[in-house]
């Protein structure tokens, strides 16, 4: 007698169901399939043997990751060891929905595993009536658990390739190809549209973006004159071409155009020009992204071809897993299968044909160089995928090797051995990596210091403001400004006090010089000397102003001298 147990993995936990009676022959009949839909009939076939709920969302995520990878988690192992009857008269059979996890369980336990057939139908019924079969679990709770686990599982999968964001490269190269097609189509539309008015311009200017800029600049051809020759020359970058456009505009066979039509053509050509400018920016972005994600592959084969390889493979990791023979014909799958079908010659190259090396090789050596280049591309992609610090050292060395191989095919000059080249590359790469790490550590230290200082300042500011609020001394903005001014004045006074103290002799000289200057100013003011009364007033004000600044007490000798000077001034 065979006893069948079915393992069901749910977001809420693991469940083990014992199948009471099942008819394998009649299982696929429509009547039997319909009986699975009713909970009453399904309960007579299946009963819940054990249920193991997950302790937390993190535990559920770990278990689901293990199942998706085909690994037996510790929780699942413990659950089956506890609840599955491994020994007894009846032979136990475990039904599993996924063959991958089934193989892993068969290795772990000495039991027979069944997948498909009856198990698939029972699994369908369990999935439908799960919340009814497990006590204490409602349909709403089950759906919430599934939604939460689904979101966390998706987030974990997306975060898997955070350091190597090759998704951006795939999207940007796809957009670049689309832009090329669109710009080409739109440029042809501008040519056809503006050609009604100025058909001769098509033969003179062959470049699409240049034609659109000229259509935007010229507008109505009848308005072209000698004055607009300079602006034409700026766009065309050729004096002879600009002159030819000017001459053609005078004897053009084109029809007249209304201002409204001209405005629409100008607007459309402006859009095409902006698209062409954006394409250049996107190419620059792709170049910078490739230097971050796959610098060695970019250095070896170029940014665009490298990006195409990554896009075609699906990711940098997938490209790194491919053998060199697959990389060689990547992008020429149709030709390969056609050759296999017709028993013809298989293709020698796929996407790597767009690299400069194959174009430079002779016809007889194209296959050999493509094979060698594919080999080097595989090495470069693997280094990029699994290296911690991205550097282009290996890419440059591999490129030099391909160059040497090309010259060997042409001249017969023996290239260097791969071992010697790789030893040099490893030395250089370690030096570059240590330098990059040192710089990153420096940056990190600076950032941490800056954050610490800001935190301390914020804490001090908060503490001061709290103290002021407690004491009821919270200042208004006006009071704060006054306080700042006072602090600045105090600083200036301190700076004067800290300076070297002046001797009495120096002070006398200073005063004399000041007095002489004042007398000269008084004489020159209004072209005549002031009266004695005015002088007295001036002196008084000067003494009043000077008194608060002088902190050192004056000697009796200096006071006498002052009185003498006052008397002389009065006389």
């Amino acid at each position: 007698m065979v006893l069948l147990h079915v393992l069901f993995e749910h977001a809420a936990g693991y469940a083990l169901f014992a199948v009471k009676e099942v008819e394998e022959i009649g299982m696929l009949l429509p009547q039997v399939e319909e009986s699975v839909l009713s909970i009453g009939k399904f309960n007579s076939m299946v009963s819940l043997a054990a249920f193991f709920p997950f302790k937390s969302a993190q535990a559920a995520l770990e278990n689901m990751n293990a199942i998706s990878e085909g690994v037996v988690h510790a929780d699942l192992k413990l659950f089956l060891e506890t609840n599955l009857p491994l020994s007894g008269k009846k032979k136990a059979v475990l039904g599993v929905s996924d063959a991958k996890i089934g193989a892993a369980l068969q290795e772990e336990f000495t039991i027979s595993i069944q997948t498909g057939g009856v198990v698939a139908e029972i699994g369908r019924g369990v999935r439908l009536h799960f919340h009814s079969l497990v006590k204490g679990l409602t349909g709403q709770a089950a759906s919430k658990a599934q939604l939460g686990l689904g979101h966390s599982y998706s987030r974990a999968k997306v975060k898997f390739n955070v350091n190597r964001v090759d998704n951006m490269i795939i999207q940007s190269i796809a957009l670049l190809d689309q832009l090329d097609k669109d710009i080409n189509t739109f440029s042809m539309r501008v040519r056809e549209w503006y050609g009604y008015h100025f058909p001769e311009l098509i033969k003179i200017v062959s470049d699409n973006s240049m034609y659109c800029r000229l259509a935007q600049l010229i507008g109505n051809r009848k308005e072209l004159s000698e004055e607009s020759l300079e602006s034409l020359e700026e766009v065309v970058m050729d004096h002879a071409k600009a002159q030819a456009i000017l001459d053609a505009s005078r004897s053009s066979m084109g029809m007249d155009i209304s201002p409204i039509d001209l405005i629409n053509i100008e607007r459309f050509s402006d859009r095409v020009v902006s698209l062409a400018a954006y394409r250049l920016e996107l190419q620059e972005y792709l170049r910078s992204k490739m230097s971050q994600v796959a610098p060695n592959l970019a250095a070896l084969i170029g940014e665009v071809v490298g990006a195409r390889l990554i896009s075609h493979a699906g990711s940098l990791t997938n490209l790194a897993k491919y053998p060199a023979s697959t990389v060689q014909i990547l992008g020429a799958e149709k030709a390969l299968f056609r050759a296999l079908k017709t028993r013809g010659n298989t293709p020698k190259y796929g996407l790597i044909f767009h690299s400069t090396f194959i174009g430079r090789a002779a016809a007889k050596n194209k296959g050999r160089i493509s094979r060698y280049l594919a080999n080097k591309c595989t090495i470069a992609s693997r280094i990029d995928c699994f290296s911690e610090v991205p550097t282009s050292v290996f890419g440059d060395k591999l490129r030099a090797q391909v160059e040497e191989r090309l010259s060997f095919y042409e001249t017969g000059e023996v290239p260097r051995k791969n071992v010697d080249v790789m030893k040099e590359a490893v030395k250089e790469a370690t030096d570059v990596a240590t330098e990059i790490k040192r710089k990153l550590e420096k940056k990190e230290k600076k950032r941490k210091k800056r954050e610490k200082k800001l935190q301390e300042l914020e804490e001090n500011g908060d503490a001061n403001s709290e103290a002021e609020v407690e004491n009821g001394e919270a200042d208004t903005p006006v009071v704060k400004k006054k306080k700042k001014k006072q602090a600045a004045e105090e600083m200036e006074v301190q700076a004067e006090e800290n300076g070297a103290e002046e001797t009495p002799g120096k002070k006398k000289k200073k005063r004399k010089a000041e007095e002489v200057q004042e007398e000269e100013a008084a004489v020159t003011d209004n072209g005549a000397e002031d009266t004695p009364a005015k002088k007295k007033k001036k002196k008084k004000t000067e003494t009043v102003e000077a008194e608060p600044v002088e902190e050192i007490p004056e000697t009796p000798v200096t006071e006498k001298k002052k009185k003498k000077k006052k008397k002389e001034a009065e006389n």
Side-chain angles (χ1 to χ4, degrees):
M1 181 74 180
V2 176
L3 187 67
L4 179 65
H5 283 82
V6 175
L7 176 70
F8 184 72
E9 309 93 4
H10 193 266
Y14 292 118
L16 191 68
F17 291 94
V19 181
K20 295 172 188 174
E21 52 177 345
V22 67
E23 191 185 342
E24 277 198 52
I25 298 162
M27 197 69 197
L28 298 172
L29 287 170
Q31 293 86 353
V32 181
E33 283 183 359
E34 281 173 17
S35 68
V36 172
L37 301 173
S38 65
I39 184 70
K41 287 178 182 178
F42 191 70
N43 263 330
S44 63
M45 292 163 59
V46 174
S47 65
L48 181 69
F51 179 65
F52 175 77
F54 295 128
K55 291 173 185 175
S56 62
Q58 188 62 36
L61 181 62
E62 284 172 11
N63 277 280
M64 285 305 119
N65 279 327
I67 286 165
S68 66
E69 287 164 18
V71 178
V72 180
H73 196 267
D75 292 347
L76 179 60
K77 190 181 176 183
L78 181 68
F79 172 66
L80 290 174
E81 279 175 353
T82 311
N83 299 298
L84 195 67
L86 298 170
S87 59
K89 289 179 182 178
K90 292 180 178 179
K91 192 182 176 185
V93 177
L94 183 66
V96 184
S97 56
D98 187 24
K100 204 175 181 184
I101 194 74
L105 285 166
Q106 200 161 14
E107 282 179 18
E108 197 73 39
F109 304 101
T110 54
I111 53 166
S112 60
I113 302 291
Q114 190 176 338
T115 55
V118 179
V119 176
E121 284 300 315
I122 290 166
R124 190 165 66 89
V126 169
R127 196 175 294 109
L128 186 65
H129 307 297
F130 185 73
H131 58 276
S132 305
L133 294 166
V134 178
K135 286 178 183 178
L137 185 73
T138 59
Q140 196 178 0
S143 63
K144 274 186 179 178
Q146 283 176 332
L147 187 68
L149 182 61
H151 281 194
S152 55
Y153 183 75
S154 302
R155 274 199 297 273
K157 281 290 176 192
V158 170
K159 282 180 183 176
F160 180 72
N161 56 356
V162 148
N163 298 323
R164 303 284 181 199
V165 193
D166 48 9
N167 302 333
M168 303 303 160
I169 288 170
I170 294 164
Q171 294 300 327
S172 56
I173 194 68
L175 179 58
L176 202 68
D177 291 342
Q178 191 63 46
L179 275 175
D180 284 335
K181 287 176 186 174
D182 291 348
I183 289 166
N184 202 22
T185 310
F186 294 156
S187 300
M188 293 308 293
R189 178 68 53 217
V190 172
R191 278 171 179 272
E192 194 176 338
W193 201 353
Y194 193 64
Y196 294 131
H197 177 60
F198 194 1
E200 289 82 9
L201 188 64
I202 297 168
K203 289 177 183 177
I204 299 165
V205 180
S206 57
D207 186 47
N208 286 333
S209 60
M210 195 184 285
Y211 185 90
C212 292
R213 276 185 288 162
L214 281 169
Q216 200 180 354
L217 177 71
I218 295 164
N220 196 340
R221 68 164 197 276
K222 289 178 181 178
E223 291 172 11
L224 269 182
S225 60
E226 292 289 339
E227 292 171 3
S228 53
L229 191 65
E230 282 183 19
S231 54
L232 283 172
E233 205 172 322
E234 280 177 19
V235 175
V236 181
M237 304 295 285
D238 186 9
H239 180 74
K241 249 184 192 177
Q243 190 62 49
I245 291 163
L246 193 65
D247 295 340
S249 68
R250 286 167 184 164
S251 60
S252 178
M253 296 291 289
M255 59 180 267
D256 291 337
I257 196 164
S258 66
I260 296 164
D261 296 335
L262 200 59
I263 287 163
N264 278 303
I265 292 167
E266 281 174 4
R267 277 186 183 175
F268 187 48
S269 56
D270 182 41
R271 290 287 174 91
V272 178
V273 168
S274 63
L275 270 177
Y278 173 64
R279 190 204 171 280
L280 292 171
E281 287 172 21
L282 187 68
Q283 199 164 9
E284 194 59 42
Y285 164 74
L286 181 66
R287 192 176 285 113
S288 66
K289 209 71 191 160
M290 279 295 287
S291 64
Q292 290 171 13
V293 177
N296 293 302
L297 191 64
L300 171 64
I301 205 168
E303 288 85 7
V304 176
V305 182
R308 284 188 204 286
L309 285 172
I310 291 168
S311 176
H312 202 83
S315 69
L316 183 64
T317 313
N318 287 356
L319 186 66
K321 287 175 185 174
Y322 285 161
S325 57
T326 308
V327 173
Q328 186 183 345
I329 56 161
L330 207 65
E333 288 84 2
K334 273 188 182 179
L336 174 69
F337 292 121
R338 189 170 60 246
L340 291 171
K341 193 178 178 181
T342 57
R343 295 183 182 181
N345 293 327
T346 52
K348 294 174 184 175
Y349 28 69
L351 289 167
I352 59 169
F353 177 75
H354 297 291
S355 70
T356 54
F357 298 113
I358 294 168
R360 281 158 55 194
K364 61 177 181 178
N365 297 323
K366 279 188 191 291
R368 295 164 79 187
I369 202 72
S370 68
R371 189 166 60 250
Y372 189 78
L373 182 62
N375 184 14
K376 298 301 172 191
C377 282
T378 310
I379 293 166
S381 63
R382 284 168 189 174
I383 292 165
D384 286 329
C385 186
F386 302 110
S387 61
E388 290 177 6
V389 182
T391 58
S392 62
V393 176
F394 286 99
D396 295 331
K397 292 287 179 187
L398 292 168
R399 189 181 178 84
Q401 275 190 296
V402 179
E403 292 280 0
E404 284 173 14
R405 184 55 62 109
L406 262 175
S407 64
F408 168 68
Y409 290 148
E410 287 169 9
T411 59
E413 190 183 337
V414 181
R416 290 177 294 168
K417 284 188 177 179
N418 192 42
V419 179
D420 302 333
V421 176
M422 285 299 113
K423 277 179 183 176
E424 283 177 27
V426 167
K427 277 182 186 177
E428 282 182 34
T430 46
D431 295 340
V432 172
T434 48
E435 185 66 28
I436 290 166
K437 278 181 182 175
R438 192 174 59 78
K439 282 180 181 176
L440 287 170
E441 281 169 7
K442 263 191 177 180
K443 275 186 183 176
E444 193 64 28
K445 279 180 183 177
K446 280 182 182 177
R447 191 180 61 78
K448 280 180 180 177
K449 273 186 181 178
R450 209 180 295 119
E451 282 177 0
K452 236 185 185 180
K453 280 182 181 177
L454 286 167
Q455 213 169 1
E456 284 171 7
L457 285 167
E458 281 173 9
E459 283 171 5
N460 292 336
D462 292 341
N464 292 337
S465 61
E466 280 169 14
E468 283 171 3
V469 169
E470 281 170 12
N471 300 329
E473 296 174 359
D475 294 333
T476 59
V478 179
V479 175
K480 280 180 183 176
K481 278 184 182 178
K482 283 183 180 178
K483 278 190 174 181
K484 278 183 183 177
K485 278 185 182 178
Q486 283 174 7
E489 284 169 9
E490 283 171 13
M491 290 284 280
E492 284 174 9
V493 171
Q494 281 176 7
E496 284 171 9
E497 284 174 3
N498 293 337
E501 289 185 4
E502 293 176 340
T503 56
K506 280 182 182 177
K507 279 182 181 177
K508 282 177 191 174
K509 283 180 183 177
K510 262 192 180 181
R511 284 197 193 103
K512 278 182 184 178
E514 282 170 8
E515 283 164 9
V516 171
Q517 282 174 2
E518 283 165 7
E519 283 171 11
E520 284 174 2
V523 171
T524 53
D525 202 25
N526 300 326
E529 286 188 8
D530 291 336
T531 57
K534 279 183 182 177
K535 281 183 180 177
K536 268 186 187 180
K537 279 182 183 177
K538 273 189 182 180
K539 286 284 174 186
K540 277 180 186 177
T541 52
E542 284 161 12
T543 52
V544 169
E545 286 171 5
E547 274 171 10
V549 178
E550 289 169 6
E551 292 176 4
I552 301 158
E554 290 181 341
T555 55
V557 182
T558 53
E559 282 176 8
K560 282 178 184 178
K561 281 184 180 179
K562 270 192 178 181
K563 282 177 184 177
K564 276 184 184 179
K565 279 174 187 174
K566 277 182 186 178
K567 282 179 183 179
E568 284 169 8
E570 283 169 9
N571 294 333

